[in-house]
Amino acid sequence: MEISDAHKVLKKIWGYDSFLEHQENIINSIINLNDTMAFLPTSGGKSICFQVPGILSGGTTLVISPLLSLISDQVNRLNDHGVPSISLAGDYDSKNWDIQLDKIINGDYYFVYISPERSLSLRFLERIKHLPISILAIDEAHCVSQWGHDFRPSYKKLSKIRKHLKNIPCVALSASVTNVVIEDIKDVLSMENAQMIKGSFFRPNLSVNIFLANSKEIELKKLINP
């Protein structure tokens, strides 16, 4: 895989002529099989950072995400772009679960999205060694840390997944990290030697104003209709 191939995929699938700031460096790190920590602001294009290498890898990218709505949105978008993808975060009976896992083993999907809780289930761990996983992507990776309100206990146990997939590159993505959170990510996900690429979280198009208001409804109407 070469970075020039990544540009071709970007143009073919998404129709973009160039990457956003830091995206190319992150993608280059992943296609060179490095563990990679990618910290970009919200709407900074983190998903493309693992989706482009995932398509180039020829295997299946396992994406662990804590938000069912985000999983649904990304899976729908990928399928709309002609990239076969599936969510394992929904309700499956035993028969349908086995059918979908067999399809994944057969290489029918480029991307498999799953919640951290479901990824740690015995039903999934029993099959993971048979799955053609080429990249492991941990979205919202700050959830491993008890430092913030987004802490998810199941994220602390994702070291089990890393042990099963220790020979493939892992990418941890987040839009909100501190030095404490970064160290927690390194520890939990065994990413001590990972390449770290961090963009500024400053958003010049956003501003915060605080003021007293007797009526929220009245003030809101003033803001909407100045």
Side-chain angles (χ1 to χ4, degrees):
M1 294 183 287
E2 302 289 341
I3 197 65
S4 58
D5 298 320
H7 280 274
K8 292 175 183 176
V9 168
L10 182 71
K11 180 65 175 180
K12 179 180 179 181
I13 304 297
W14 286 274
Y16 299 142
D17 293 318
S18 60
F19 290 106
L20 298 175
E21 186 180 13
H22 301 300
Q23 283 182 328
E24 185 168 323
N25 289 337
I26 296 168
I27 290 168
N28 195 48
S29 177
I30 298 170
I31 64 178
N32 282 294
L33 306 181
N34 296 313
D35 286 342
T36 307
M37 295 191 292
F39 304 133
L40 300 177
T42 301
S43 300
K46 291 185 292 296
S47 298
I48 278 181
C49 292
F50 63 80
Q51 289 171 348
V52 169
I55 292 170
L56 288 172
S57 73
T60 298
T61 297
L62 179 65
V63 186
I64 297 177
S65 174
L67 304 173
L68 298 185
S69 59
L70 181 61
I71 288 175
S72 177
D73 180 63
Q74 292 198 11
V75 168
N76 289 338
R77 288 189 180 186
L78 284 166
N79 283 311
D80 288 344
H81 281 94
V83 182
S85 306
I86 188 174
S87 167
L88 292 180
D91 293 327
Y92 287 94
D93 58 33
S94 296
K95 181 179 179 180
N96 284 327
W97 175 265
D98 288 335
I99 289 173
Q100 297 306 327
L101 266 293
D102 286 343
K103 287 183 178 180
I104 296 168
I105 292 171
N106 193 48
D108 289 3
Y109 299 107
Y110 280 92
F111 295 92
V112 174
Y113 281 73
I114 192 168
S115 67
E117 292 80 11
R118 179 66 62 82
S119 74
L120 294 166
S121 68
L122 288 177
R123 294 176 68 194
F124 187 72
L125 292 176
E126 287 174 353
R127 303 291 293 274
I128 195 170
K129 62 183 178 182
H130 302 294
L131 306 181
I133 298 172
S134 54
I135 297 172
L136 172 64
I138 311 293
D139 204 6
E140 309 293 345
H142 57 271
C143 291
V144 307
S145 181
Q146 296 190 52
W147 177 87
H149 69 279
D150 289 332
F151 172 62
R152 286 275 286 269
S154 54
Y155 264 70
K156 278 286 188 184
K157 301 176 184 178
L158 290 181
S159 56
K160 292 182 180 180
I161 299 294
R162 284 243 55 190
K163 288 178 181 178
H164 282 283
L165 303 174
K166 59 184 177 181
N167 295 320
I168 68 167
C170 176
V171 53
L173 307 107
S174 178
S176 55
V177 291
T178 63
N179 290 334
V180 171
V181 174
I182 289 172
E183 291 305 313
D184 284 345
I185 292 171
K186 289 181 180 179
D187 180 52
V188 172
L189 299 177
S190 301
M191 300 187 77
E192 296 83 359
N193 299 316
Q195 298 286 320
M196 184 171 70
I197 300 164
K198 185 178 180 181
S200 172
F201 296 136
F202 176 64
R203 298 289 297 280
N205 59 323
L206 298 180
S207 64
V208 177
N209 296 290
I210 301 174
F211 52 91
L212 297 175
N214 293 324
S215 169
K216 294 179 181 178
E217 290 78 10
I218 292 174
E219 293 298 331
L220 181 60
K221 289 179 180 179
K222 289 179 181 179
L223 290 171
I224 295 174
N225 300 301

